[in-house]
Amino acid sequence: AQSVAQPEDQVNVAEGNPLTVKCTYSVSGNPYLFWYVQYPNRGLQFLLKYITGDNLVKGSYGFEAEFNKSQTSFHLKKPSALVSDSALYFCAVRDIRDDYKLSFGAGTTVTVRA
Amino acid sequence: NAGVTQTPKFRVLKTGQSMTLLCAQDMNHEYMYWYRQDPGMGLRLIHYSVGEGTTAKGEVPDGYNVSRLKKQNFLLGLESAAPSQTSVYFCASSVGLAGPSSSYEQYFGPGTRLTVT
C-alpha cells in the first residue's frame, strides 16, 4: 500500500522568500508523485508531477519539486513566494502497480504574508 | 470545455434522508472517482470507476453507493444520511490506461459541501 506524509500542517513565509512544502512517500514499487493546490472553496488544481526522468520537475505558477529516491521525498518549492500562493497544498502518490488510485497527504496550509 | 462539474454545490440533509450527487466530465476520461475531504485528513477515496458500467470500492465506501451508467457521468448516492457524512465531496476524472503514459493526473470538480443534521 502506498502513502504520503506531509509533516507540516502549516507553513508561514514572507512574500519574496523561498517557499518549501515537504512531502515523503512510501510505495512498494516506483512512485508516481503529484502536487495539487486548493484555494478556498475551490477544487484541487494540478501543479506538477514526477513520473520518471529528471529529479527536478517544473510545474505551474513557478513551482518546482525535487524527487529524492534515497530520502523518499518530493518537496515542493518556489524561489520567491507571493501572497497569492496562500492556499492548501496536497502531495499525492500513485503506485504504478495500482493504477487507479491516488493516496493524498493530509495537506499543508501555506500562508504568505505581505 | 467545462472539465469536471458537480451538482449541487451545497446541500443540507436531515439524518436518514437520501440524496444523489452528480458528477459530469466532458474530457472523455475513462476513470472517475469520488472523494471526501475532512479537516486534517486529506482526501479519502470513496468509490471509483474504471469505465462505463464498472464501479469499485475505495478506502471509505460504507454508507455510499455509486453508478456509472454513462461514461461522462458518475453518481454518488447516500441512502440514509448520517451526521458522520458531513463533508466536502469531490469528484475527479483521469484519462486512464488508454491514455499516454504521462497522463496519470486527476482533474477535480469544484466540490459539494454537504451538511447532515
Side-chain angles (χ1 to χ4, degrees), chain A residues 8-83:
Chain A
E8 299 163 318
D9 292 336
Q10 291 200 356
V11 170
N12 298 304
V13 297
E15 189 172 34
N17 282 2
L19 170 63
T20 298
V21 187
K22 295 179 181 177
C23 172
T24 58
Y25 67 88
S26 173
V27 297
S28 301
N30 292 323
Y32 287 7
L33 294 155
F34 304 83
W35 275 103
Y36 285 85
V37 60
Q38 184 181 28
Y39 298 102
N41 300 314
R42 304 287 295 274
L44 277 70
Q45 296 179 30
F46 169 73
L47 274 180
L48 52 79
K49 64 187 175 189
Y50 172 83
I51 305 297
T52 187
D54 289 341
N55 290 340
L56 186 63
V57 179
K58 294 190 182 298
S60 305
Y61 312 123
F63 284 94
E64 59 189 26
E66 186 170 9
F67 172 67
N68 187 317
K69 189 171 184 177
S70 63
Q71 298 186 4
T72 62
S73 67
F74 189 56
H75 301 332
L76 181 70
K77 300 180 181 182
K78 187 170 185 180
S80 179
L82 301 172
V83 172

Side-chain angles (χ1 to χ4, degrees), chain B residues 75-99:
Chain B
L75 279 63
L76 177 71
L78 286 72
E79 291 186 347
S80 180
S84 61
Q85 294 177 305
T86 293
S87 188
V88 181
Y89 291 86
F90 288 101
C91 177
S93 69
S94 66
V95 170
L97 291 178

